[in-house]
């Protein structure tokens, strides 16, 4: 567990919701600083690579990527606040799950685990957050690898599978269903066939308490509200003459959420390399983890 990003305000203890779910200790802002679940592989003296999961996922998604990187790099993956085994504060009790908060919190986490230079790999809908962070800290970055990021006009809205978690009342109910919140979203966006032992890792946070579901509901609402502006900002940053960070795009060609139409045109126009993974879907690290790990090594070499 890594401590990073201060808890705002003093809202007291979050109460269990009216329909009887137990929030769990992770839903309480009981410390001054949030706790992030991190995993690492490789020597701490090697060049650092931070692996950032998408929505909704966990650091566990990089389990087949990290061993590939470990002989040359210090690979670090983490669970975002609200996901996996990191803190999941009840919204309005220290963290509201806005994209601005995620950007700010990422800065604190990076400073905690990689105070010097690093490379960042980010997958899916958290790519705009990572790009915004990177634009303000280019001096820290060796390389940025974007894995199936939302970038075109067709990507401005969440797919229906994710958008359903933001619906009034129904969204709160859907987000408490472990099968809907983990299994369905991970298998609906590509060809990934989840093994039962892997599925249980993703389900566990939703089975332990209601805090994971409330966090998913909150971040889905925030994405629905601010995703378009963040994607437009990401496009502007990557097009800017001030953007100097080495950037590579990896794309799972069987992504059922984000169409490849327009992706090659956008990044090709910026002379940024695109690496296609024909057999991978949206969560590339799940579908083709070892392959992605070797691609990342070749990019960073």
């Amino acid at each position: 567990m890594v401590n990073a990003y201060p808890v705002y305000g003093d809202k007291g203890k979050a109460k269990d919701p009216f329909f009887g779910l137990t929030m769990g200790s992770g839903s309480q802002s009981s410390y001054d600083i949030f706790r992030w679940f991190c995993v690492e592989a490789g020597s701490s003296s090697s060049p650092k690579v931070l692996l950032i999961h998408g929505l909704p996922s966990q650091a566990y998604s990089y389990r087949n990527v990290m061993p590939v990187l470990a002989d040359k790099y210090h690979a670090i993956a983490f669970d975002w606040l609200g996901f996996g085994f990191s803190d999941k504060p009840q919204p309005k009790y220290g963290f509201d799950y806005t994209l601005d908060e995620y950007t700010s919190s990422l800065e604190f986490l990076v400073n905690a685990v990689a105070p010097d230079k690093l490379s960042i790999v980010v997958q899916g809908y958290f790519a705009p957050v990572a790009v915004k962070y990177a634009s303000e800290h280019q001096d820290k970055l060796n390389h940025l690898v974007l894995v199936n990021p939302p970038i075109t006009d067709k990507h401005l809205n969440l797919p229906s599978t994710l958008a359903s978690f933001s619906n009034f009342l129904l969204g709160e109910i859907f987000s408490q269903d472990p099968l809907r919140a983990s299994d369905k979203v991970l298998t609906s966006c590509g060809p990934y066939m989840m093994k039962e032992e892997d599925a249980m890792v993703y389900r566990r946070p939703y089975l332990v308490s209601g805090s994971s579901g409330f966090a998913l509901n909150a971040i889905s609402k925030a994405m629905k509200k601010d995703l378009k502006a963040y994607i437009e900002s990401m496009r502007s940053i990557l097009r800017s003459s001030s953007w100097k960070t080495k950037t590579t795009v990896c794309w799972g060609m069987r992504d059922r959420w984000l169409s490849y139409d327009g992706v090659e045109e956008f990044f090709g126009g910026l002379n940024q390399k695109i690496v296609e993974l024909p057999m991978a879907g949206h969560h590339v690290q799940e579908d083709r983890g070892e392959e992605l790990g070797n691609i990342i090594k070749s990019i960073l070499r």
Side-chain angles (χ1 to χ4, degrees):
M1 302 301 290
V2 173
N3 295 330
Y5 195 61
V7 176
Y8 78 76
D10 183 14
K11 302 291 186 179
K13 295 290 185 180
K15 296 179 175 59
D16 288 347
F18 64 88
F19 41 88
L21 289 170
T22 301
M23 293 303 299
S25 60
S27 67
Q28 304 291 350
S29 299
S30 56
Y31 297 88
D32 293 332
I33 300 178
F34 288 116
R35 298 163 299 177
W36 303 62
F37 177 79
C38 299
V39 292
E40 60 183 343
S43 171
S44 60
S45 62
S46 298
K48 289 184 172 15
V49 182
L50 187 65
L51 305 169
I52 304 178
H53 71 76
L55 172 71
S57 190
Q58 299 178 20
Y60 185 73
S61 64
Y62 285 104
R63 65 194 176 277
N64 295 321
V65 176
M66 298 182 74
V68 179
L69 299 177
D71 63 330
K72 299 287 186 182
Y73 300 96
H74 182 204
I76 304 168
F78 67 90
D79 291 339
W80 282 109
L81 294 178
F83 295 94
F85 302 95
S86 290
D87 279 348
K88 306 169 189 67
Q90 174 76 332
K92 305 188 187 314
Y93 287 86
F95 194 78
D96 290 337
Y97 299 95
T98 67
L99 299 191
D100 287 346
E101 283 178 303
Y102 273 115
T103 304
S104 298
S105 66
L106 179 60
E107 178 179 359
F108 280 80
L109 181 70
V110 169
N111 290 340
V113 300
D116 300 317
K117 292 182 75 74
L118 77 160
S119 295
I120 289 179
V121 178
V122 57
Q123 183 268 329
Y125 286 98
F126 277 110
V129 169
V131 169
K132 185 174 182 180
Y133 162 81
S135 69
E136 299 168 356
H137 302 87
Q138 291 196 64
D139 57 316
K140 280 184 66 77
L141 265 69
N142 292 317
H143 209 117
L144 177 67
V145 180
L146 303 173
V147 183
N148 284 55
I151 196 68
T152 74
D153 286 344
K154 294 181 179 180
H155 303 162
L156 296 178
N157 298 310
L158 287 176
S160 58
T161 310
L162 293 178
S164 65
F165 296 119
S166 66
N167 293 339
F168 178 67
L169 290 182
L170 278 179
E172 296 184 0
I173 296 171
F174 290 161
S175 62
Q176 297 297 338
D177 181 350
L179 296 180
R180 186 185 290 268
S182 59
D183 297 41
K184 183 176 180 179
V185 292
L186 288 171
T187 56
S188 68
C189 56
Y192 181 57
M193 300 298 292
M194 191 182 301
K195 295 179 181 178
E196 182 62 21
E197 57 264 34
D198 296 328
M200 281 304 301
V201 177
Y202 287 106
R203 291 176 200 148
R204 184 181 173 188
Y206 297 93
L207 293 169
V208 172
S209 79
S211 55
S212 294
F214 281 101
L216 177 59
N217 176 247
I219 182 55
S220 299
K221 289 179 179 177
M223 285 277 183
K224 188 174 182 179
K225 177 176 179 288
D226 295 327
L227 181 62
K228 178 180 178 180
Y230 259 71
I231 292 175
E232 291 173 345
S233 173
M234 178 169 67
R235 292 195 298 215
S236 177
I237 290 168
L238 295 175
R239 286 190 182 117
S240 173
S241 60
S242 63
W243 180 253
K244 305 298 183 183
T245 301
K246 297 176 185 176
T247 305
T248 303
V249 179
C250 297
W251 198 274
M253 300 300 290
R254 298 175 71 180
D255 191 333
R256 296 172 187 161
W257 283 353
L258 300 178
S259 168
Y260 191 58
D261 293 343
V263 172
E264 190 172 20
E265 180 182 355
F266 178 85
F267 287 107
L270 301 176
N271 293 318
Q272 291 168 347
K273 184 180 179 181
I274 303 177
V275 181
E276 299 177 357
L277 290 87
M279 301 306 294
H282 181 71
H283 293 281
V284 178
Q285 67 271 36
E286 282 285 359
D287 295 339
R288 308 291 293 186
E290 186 175 346
E291 181 182 359
L292 179 62
N294 282 311
I295 289 171
I296 293 170
K297 282 181 74 171
S298 68
I299 291 170
L300 301 183
R301 189 171 298 148

